Amino acid sequence: MIELYTDSSPNGFKITIALEELGLPYTLKHVRIDAGEHRRPEFLRLNPHGRIPVLVDPATGTTLFESAAILLYLADTTRRLLPDEPRARWQAIQWLMFHAASVGPILGQRVHFELFSATPQPQAVERYRGLCDAAFGVLDAQLARHPYVAGEDYSIADIAHFGWTHIARIVDFDFSAHTHLSAWHDRVAARPAVQRGIALPAPAVGA
């Protein structure tokens, strides 16, 4: 059975949502970051970078960290949540990479500078607010033309982006001006598997 090492974070929610969408049996291992459990030697053997999530699949002998890689693995092994048709497939991978390389890191830095930095850094806050709004604008324009991030079908690209828009809502990073993005977020949030996924291992709370 698949083992998932995770905590209540945007990157962790991506994988609990995917597993719930796919209906795959798995064992959840709660790695409590606030308690420093991600720095324990037994966890660092799974991911030397000390970050969640980590997925272990004994059936294939596979251990993976990085949420985008895990999403691709789950989609590839189940042949779901990623289109078979080559052009559509690469669109989904492209938008997954846009999240992994741009949207996720930008939002993560905004969370740090705006909510957790011990010293106020207004220039950094202004920079990441601007970058965040620009990224939301790109998604909004895409969703003005398509029902889902990568096109016509719900995919791992939607799951990846939702992991962070869910947290953005919780910490009051307002993106309501991006009406297509907001409507997409609400549609995805209504999915039963998504509702289950964001409650595991525990619901996220505001900073």
Side-chain angles (χ1 to χ4, degrees):
M1 183 182 293
I2 287 172
E3 297 177 353
L4 175 64
Y5 295 77
T6 192
D7 201 355
S8 300
S9 79
N11 294 324
F13 290 144
K14 298 172 197 175
I15 311 308
T16 48
I17 289 170
L19 288 167
E20 292 294 325
E21 290 279 11
L22 294 166
L24 295 174
Y26 65 98
T27 300
L28 193 149
K29 309 283 189 179
H30 191 176
V31 180
R32 293 169 176 81
I33 293 173
D34 287 348
E37 293 178 358
H38 60 305
R39 290 299 176 191
R40 291 180 177 176
E42 58 269 28
F43 184 73
L44 291 173
R45 283 193 289 270
L46 299 173
N47 181 1
H49 196 205
R51 302 292 183 91
I52 62 94
V54 174
L55 182 139
V56 178
D57 187 353
T60 61
T62 300
T63 298
L64 287 174
F65 56 87
E66 293 295 337
S67 59
I70 296 170
L71 288 172
L72 282 167
Y73 174 79
L74 292 172
D76 189 62
T77 54
T78 61
R79 300 188 65 83
R80 293 172 58 197
L81 296 176
L82 191 62
D84 286 327
E85 192 274 319
R87 182 180 177 280
R89 182 181 181 88
W90 280 107
Q91 284 294 308
I93 293 171
Q94 169 187 261
W95 286 100
L96 174 66
M97 293 302 109
F98 175 62
H99 176 79
S102 297
V103 177
I106 287 168
L107 275 163
Q109 290 299 307
R110 182 177 172 186
V111 165
H112 169 75
F113 286 114
E114 199 158 333
L115 302 177
F116 294 112
S117 179
T119 304
Q121 300 189 49
Q123 288 183 316
V125 170
E126 182 180 2
R127 169 178 169 77
Y128 282 103
R129 283 181 176 177
L131 289 172
C132 181
D133 191 62
F136 284 156
V138 171
L139 288 168
D140 192 65
Q142 172 71 355
L143 289 161
R145 300 187 297 270
H146 304 283
Y148 295 106
V149 170
E152 303 310 303
D153 298 313
Y154 178 73
S155 73
I156 54 175
D158 296 282
I159 293 172
H161 285 281
F162 181 85
W164 270 104
T165 59
H166 172 63
I167 295 301
R169 283 272 181 94
I170 288 174
V171 299
D172 294 326
F173 288 177
D174 182 27
F175 54 89
S176 60
H178 301 287
T179 56
H180 303 289
L181 177 62
S182 294
W184 163 87
H185 176 91
D186 292 341
R187 289 198 307 275
V188 174
R191 295 174 69 91
V194 172
Q195 293 176 10
R196 293 193 299 272
I198 60 174
L200 297 168
V205 297

